[in-house]
Amino acid sequence: MGNHGSMTICDVVNAIRPGEWSSYEAVAQAAGLVNGQRGVASHVRDATCCPTWRVLGKDGRPKEQARVVSEPGVSVEAKLESEGLVFVGGRAPSDRAVGAGELRARL
């Protein structure tokens, strides 16, 4: 994707591959947003341009408002599990988390 100066939240979220997840904080940092977690949360709640279900709380749990916009009635957990992510105790495994640096490197 190349141009680091104009990365959008969707660009960053699109860099999270099936079977992976990232946190609101990491997405905001990768997009260059200062204190942008709220903006990411708002985007994740309503966007259809990217796989927003791959953005979780930093503890690996989906936020209460998280949903799969493109598939009403499908839970975030079910969607991620269909991509190969296994939740343990309600959390996605930390070894499948992608940080801001890795997300930036993929862009």
Side-chain angles (χ1 to χ4, degrees), residues 77-85:
E77 293 94 334
K79 184 67 175 178
L80 288 169
E81 287 174 348
S82 77
E83 296 182 341
L85 198 64

Side-chain angles (χ1 to χ4, degrees), residues 84-104:
L85 198 64
V86 177
F87 282 77
V88 177
R91 295 176 191 231
S94 60
D95 66 339
R96 301 301 301 153
V98 182
E102 177 61 26
L103 290 171
R104 278 192 301 272

